[in-house]
Amino acid sequence: MTVTIKDVAKKAGVSPSTVSRVLSNHPRISLETSRKVKIIMEEMGYTPNMMAKSLVSKTTNSICIILPKPAEELFSNLFFMELIRGIVTQASRSGYDVLISSGANEKEELEAVSRLLKGRRVDGAILLYSRKDDAVIEFLETGGYPFVLIGRSDRYENILSVDNDNVMAAYDATNHLITMGHERIGFVSGPSELIVSRDRLEGYRKAMESNGLEMRPEWIVEGEFLQDSGYRAMSFFMNLPNRPTALVAVDDMVSFGVLRGLTELKYKVPEDLAIVSFNNIPLSQLSSPPISSIDIGIYHLGYTASQVLIQSIKNPNNHDGYTNRFVIPHRLIIRESSMYSASKK
Amino acid sequence: MTVTIKDVAKKAGVSPSTVSRVLSNHPRISLETSRKVKIIMEEMGYTPNMMAKSLVSKTTNSICIILPKPAEELFSNLFFMELIRGIVTQASRSGYDVLISSGANEKEELEAVSRLLKGRRVDGAILLYSRKDDAVIEFLETGGYPFVLIGRSDRYENILSVDNDNVMAAYDATNHLITMGHERIGFVSGPSELIVSRDRLEGYRKAMESNGLEMRPEWIVEGEFLQDSGYRAMSFFMNLPNRPTALVAVDDMVSFGVLRGLTELKYKVPEDLAIVSFNNIPLSQLSSPPISSIDIGIYHLGYTASQVLIQSIKNPNNHDGYTNRFVIPHRLIIRESSMYSASKK
DNA sequence: ACAATTTACGACAACGTTTGCACTACATTA
DNA sequence: TAATGTAGTGCAAACGTTGTCGTAAATTGT
């Protein structure tokens, strides 16, 4: 029922090839025919069939976002929404469609990626986060598929990636607290298999060390990027005999959990515990008190990732050599949760 | 380079058709050949080419989500993340991929939809929200494309839609405040071209009326689903000579704005102004005080929409007649922001 | 034991594009 | 004038599937 290139051709009294060439602005088509055909296309309401196009061109003009394993949980983090927004916006501007994919477990995830890339449903992929060891990266890398990683991998050196300098960011966050006079500073980390967790932990360590501050093992707890982890970490910290006066949390959601707990126990923020965390999701400024956060430019991260990916799809062998890794700048946003000068005892 | 059905066929010593039939578990294939072919497929790492498949089957096993016009803003609302999560989860379970699409303006939006549906890149669409008059709905309806609306349309009666009973929800919210002893109740609405705004306003009206309470025009203000609107509404209300003691806000984000303003002015919630709003986004329980909200089951809304759409794609003429409209139940979550019995003066 | 049916498979034509090649008019050049 | 070039178009073969139809061989019924 739908009108095809042949229908247009017939009505215009030309061959299908000509219509196709009109469509792609082939130089060797006379202005006259071009105009005529275009009018007929308009009249008949012709829309190119993407499937047929893709079949022959071996390209789909779409990319996919691979969400990490426990997508359900992670989805609840506004972080991903921002990222997706950046990706979709840029991709849309470049004429690409965006497909969202996730699997219940790593095996399913790999299957999905394989189906999408090998099955030529998409031209490339954007990976969010990265574990130390990632089967999906392995697959994409050995398959030679275009992809970019949001985050970084320490196994593969030459893959395209867009990331923050998380070590430096954590250094800055910690240093800010130190500047405010804090000496006993705790750290709530994310899953240790995530590189971002380890990078931020390292930045915290560096800042503590270079300021000659003591680092107690019990001041570092590992959790998830979720509220609950913050809640638990909070109750752990507050029961410590020599508890921290400030803490750095790996994600704003964690801070919210901490905040909730402290409020329940009638503690004051930042007087009883100062907080700085990461990502600066829109809600950070809405909590009470608003929490200080490292703005890592999430939207920008997504936008750039999409740009880099599409660029690499269009120009696969443009391996500049220099620029495989794109670093998005971060910025410390100081809010009430850390605006209290601890008195040095 | 990639291995096709023909390569497998050649290696297995059978015809391409046979391989295809093995793939689709055709009954008339001997167990022996089936096994042999399957082994070879595995060996050669065969993955079906979705484009070719789609071309002949005229079906893509994917759906798209059409985000409303000002996607940028709306994206910042956790609401959409929840919705997308529900959609992606269900679609993924049904073996469908999800494509996200949005346009900068209504024209672009329509172009995108047309390209996706007419170009056969997706099998159906999920529309979020609905304006009173919607060109996209018009297009989908007249084109006979499968789609479901999250929200409702008052122009088209017989389209598939998944929605809450927003009138009833607003009635419940308002009634809750009345039960708490409030008599002067304000309402912060959303854009009046959104049906959801009007439905909720109507519910508010009904509740006020059936309780014989006065409704002043200045107690109803129109804004966006954004914090700022709440902030502005708040300062408007609080400067009224005969100001409301409670208010119903059309979205939690609006409440946050109200809250922020009240806090700045040292007003107490709920003592000076009680608040109830809609959507119950995860943050509602994190603000201080936590705000009472109507949980509309956002995830469920998305999940159901996907289910209904895919069902209608697979079975286009299963027009039950009864069940075009799916209503997701709502639930009033009472939190601190409304837990104060106003003394009847 | 012979027709009738069933089983298991192959040939081939779609699906709607793109694209290399060939062909026809002319126009240009030597 | 003949050779060469070029602009504009058509033909036909791909791209990787699916599905209809046909047909041997195997099975069944009588």
Side-chain angles (χ1 to χ4, degrees):
Chain A
M1 273 319 76
T2 40
V3 27
T4 79
I5 228 172
K6 290 183 190 169
D7 303 326
V8 176
K10 197 176 294 173
K11 189 148 189 174
V14 297
S15 79
S17 350
T18 302
V19 178
S20 171
R21 281 189 263 254
V22 167
L23 234 38
S24 53
N25 290 316
H26 191 98
R28 295 257 263 250
I29 289 289
S30 74
L31 210 63
E32 195 190 358
T33 352
S34 170
R35 265 207 273 269
K36 185 177 60 185
V37 169
K38 275 179 181 160
I39 290 175
I40 307 234
M41 288 196 319
E42 186 69 28
E43 269 177 26
M44 305 182 70
Y46 169 77
T47 308
N49 181 314
M50 301 314 277
M51 295 305 139
K53 203 175 214 166
S54 293
L55 183 56
V56 36
S57 72
K58 292 180 179 319
T59 163
T60 63
N61 264 50
S62 45
I63 60 176
C64 68
I65 305 180
I66 315 280
L67 292 169
K69 194 165 41 173
E72 307 253 335
E73 290 167 12
L74 287 162
F75 252 125
S76 65
N77 195 323
L78 214 32
F79 178 87
F80 287 93
M81 196 71 227
E82 271 296 286
L83 214 46
I84 293 176
R85 183 165 77 86
I87 294 170
V88 170
T89 304
Q90 203 288 323
S92 169
R93 281 186 193 151
S94 307
Y96 274 69
D97 288 316
V98 178
L99 216 130
I100 304 239
S101 156
S102 78
N105 51 57
E106 193 157 353
K107 184 159 162 283
E108 262 190 50
E109 202 180 312
L110 193 58
E111 261 168 25
V113 177
S114 164
R115 194 173 42 80
L116 292 172
L117 272 299
K118 287 186 69 179
R120 297 202 179 286
R121 199 195 207 58
V122 300
D123 299 338
I126 294 181
L127 256 59
L128 306 189
Y129 273 38
S130 95
R131 295 175 281 278
K132 283 181 311 194
D133 211 10
D134 200 303
V136 176
I137 296 187
E138 177 74 32
F139 167 82
L140 292 168
E141 180 68 358
T142 61
Y145 299 105
F147 73 101
V148 16
L149 184 64
I150 294 187
R152 72 181 186 83
S153 161
D154 44 9
R155 277 177 65 92
Y156 300 89
E157 269 308 316
N158 290 320
I159 64 180
L160 289 175
S161 65
V162 179
D163 198 10
N164 303 103
D165 184 342
N166 276 307
V167 176
M168 196 57 196
Y171 185 96
D172 290 349
T174 312
N175 209 54
H176 161 57
L177 290 172
I178 297 174
T179 307
M180 296 302 283
H182 294 279
E183 296 184 334
R184 302 198 303 277
I185 303 176
F187 188 85
V188 187
S189 183
S192 61
E193 72 267 21
L194 291 185
I195 292 186
V196 59
S197 302
R198 298 188 303 155
D199 280 355
R200 289 179 182 171
L201 181 55
E202 192 191 332
Y204 159 79
R205 284 217 164 93
K206 275 195 177 156
M208 295 297 272
E209 249 169 42
S210 67
N211 282 276
L213 294 178
E214 185 190 14
M215 261 182 300
R216 302 217 178 180
E218 71 265 28
W219 288 349
I220 299 176
V221 310
E222 183 181 324
E224 309 271 329
F225 283 65
L226 295 171
Q227 259 197 70
D228 269 4
S229 298
Y231 192 90
R232 274 197 294 276
M234 183 280 313
S235 48
F236 175 76
F237 281 145
M238 298 317 268
N239 284 322
L240 247 36
N242 189 19
R243 71 178 194 223
T245 64
L247 67 82
V248 178
V250 79
D251 182 89
D252 291 334
M253 290 309 274
V254 174
S255 285
F256 291 142
V258 172
L259 220 52
R260 181 161 57 91
L262 291 175
T263 309
E264 279 174 15
L265 299 179
K266 308 283 182 209
Y267 281 115
K268 287 279 184 196
V269 175
E271 293 83 350
D272 295 319
L273 190 72
I275 307 177
V276 179
S277 50
F278 288 84
N279 297 357
N280 190 34
I281 62 175
L283 301 180
S284 317
Q285 57 177 319
L286 292 180
S287 60
S288 64
I291 53 177
S292 300
S293 189
I294 298 271
D295 189 315
I296 58 169
I298 310 179
Y299 176 88
H300 192 190
L301 225 41
Y303 196 95
T304 307
S306 168
Q307 208 162 24
V308 169
L309 175 61
I310 290 175
Q311 146 79 17
S312 117
I313 288 171
K314 288 187 173 162
N315 207 337
N317 31 19
N318 183 22
H319 237 298
D320 291 9
Y322 323 108
T323 47
N324 285 334
R325 185 146 186 265
F326 298 80
V327 176
I328 306 298
H330 62 268
R331 208 167 101 242
L332 172 64
I333 311 286
I334 300 176
R335 300 204 184 87
E336 235 183 286
S337 75
S338 66
M339 284 194 192
Y340 174 79
S341 294
S343 54
K344 310 219 175 194
K345 54 159 191 305
Chain B
M1 269 316 75
T2 41
V3 27
T4 78
I5 228 173
K6 290 183 190 169
D7 303 326
V8 176
K10 197 175 294 175
K11 189 150 191 173
V14 297
S15 81
S17 344
T18 302
V19 177
S20 171
R21 280 188 267 254
V22 168
L23 234 38
S24 52
N25 289 316
H26 192 98
R28 295 258 261 250
I29 289 290
S30 75
L31 211 63
E32 195 189 357
T33 0
S34 170
R35 264 206 275 268
K36 185 177 58 184
V37 170
K38 275 179 181 159
I39 290 174
I40 306 233
M41 287 195 320
E42 185 71 28
E43 269 178 27
M44 305 183 70
Y46 169 77
T47 308
N49 181 313
M50 301 314 277
M51 294 306 140
K53 204 176 214 164
S54 293
L55 182 57
V56 35
S57 71
K58 292 182 180 319
T59 163
T60 63
N61 265 47
S62 44
I63 60 177
C64 67
I65 306 181
I66 316 280
L67 292 169
K69 193 166 39 174
E72 308 253 335
E73 290 168 12
L74 287 161
F75 254 125
S76 65
N77 196 324
L78 213 34
F79 179 86
F80 287 92
M81 197 71 226
E82 271 295 286
L83 214 45
I84 294 177
R85 183 165 77 87
I87 294 170
V88 170
T89 305
Q90 203 288 325
S92 169
R93 280 185 194 153
S94 308
Y96 274 69
D97 289 316
V98 178
L99 218 130
I100 304 240
S101 156
S102 78
N105 51 55
E106 193 157 352
K107 184 160 161 285
E108 262 190 50
E109 202 180 313
L110 193 58
E111 261 168 25
V113 177
S114 165
R115 194 172 42 80
L116 291 173
L117 273 298
K118 286 187 71 180
R120 298 202 178 285
R121 199 195 207 58
V122 300
D123 298 339
I126 295 181
L127 255 59
L128 306 189
Y129 271 42
S130 93
R131 295 175 280 277
K132 283 180 311 193
D133 212 9
D134 200 304
V136 177
I137 297 186
E138 177 74 32
F139 167 82
L140 293 168
E141 180 69 358
T142 62
Y145 299 105
F147 74 102
V148 17
L149 184 64
I150 295 187
R152 74 182 185 82
S153 161
D154 44 8
R155 277 177 65 91
Y156 301 89
E157 269 309 314
N158 291 319
I159 64 180
L160 289 175
S161 65
V162 179
D163 198 9
N164 303 104
D165 184 342
N166 276 307
V167 177
M168 196 58 196
Y171 185 96
D172 290 350
T174 312
N175 209 54
H176 160 59
L177 290 172
I178 297 174
T179 307
M180 297 303 282
H182 294 280
E183 296 184 334
R184 301 199 303 278
I185 303 175
F187 187 84
V188 187
S189 183
S192 61
E193 73 266 22
L194 291 184
I195 293 186
V196 59
S197 302
R198 299 189 301 155
D199 280 355
R200 288 178 183 170
L201 181 55
E202 191 192 333
Y204 158 80
R205 284 218 164 93
K206 275 196 176 154
M208 294 297 271
E209 249 170 42
S210 67
N211 282 276
L213 294 178
E214 186 191 11
M215 261 182 300
R216 300 217 180 182
E218 71 266 28
W219 288 349
I220 299 175
V221 310
E222 184 181 323
E224 308 271 329
F225 282 65
L226 296 171
Q227 252 199 86
D228 269 3
S229 299
Y231 191 89
R232 274 197 295 276
M234 183 279 312
S235 49
F236 175 75
F237 282 145
M238 298 317 267
N239 284 322
L240 248 34
N242 190 21
R243 70 179 198 225
T245 63
L247 67 81
V248 178
V250 79
D251 183 89
D252 291 334
M253 291 308 275
V254 175
S255 286
F256 292 142
V258 172
L259 220 52
R260 181 161 56 90
L262 291 175
T263 309
E264 279 174 14
L265 299 179
K266 307 284 182 209
Y267 282 115
K268 287 280 184 193
V269 174
E271 292 83 352
D272 295 317
L273 190 72
I275 307 177
V276 179
S277 51
F278 288 84
N279 297 358
N280 191 33
I281 62 175
L283 193 65
S284 316
Q285 55 178 320
L286 292 179
S287 59
S288 65
I291 53 176
S292 300
S293 189
I294 298 272
D295 189 313
I296 59 169
I298 309 179
Y299 176 87
H300 192 188
L301 226 40
Y303 195 95
T304 307
S306 168
Q307 207 163 24
V308 168
L309 175 60
I310 291 174
Q311 146 79 19
S312 117
I313 288 170
K314 289 188 173 162
N315 207 337
N317 32 19
N318 184 23
H319 236 299
D320 291 9
Y322 322 110
T323 48
N324 286 333
R325 184 146 186 265
F326 298 81
V327 176
I328 307 297
H330 61 267
R331 210 167 99 242
L332 172 64
I333 311 285
I334 300 175
R335 301 204 183 87
E336 234 182 288
S337 76
S338 67
M339 282 194 192
Y340 174 79
S341 294
S343 54
K344 310 217 174 193
K345 54 161 190 304

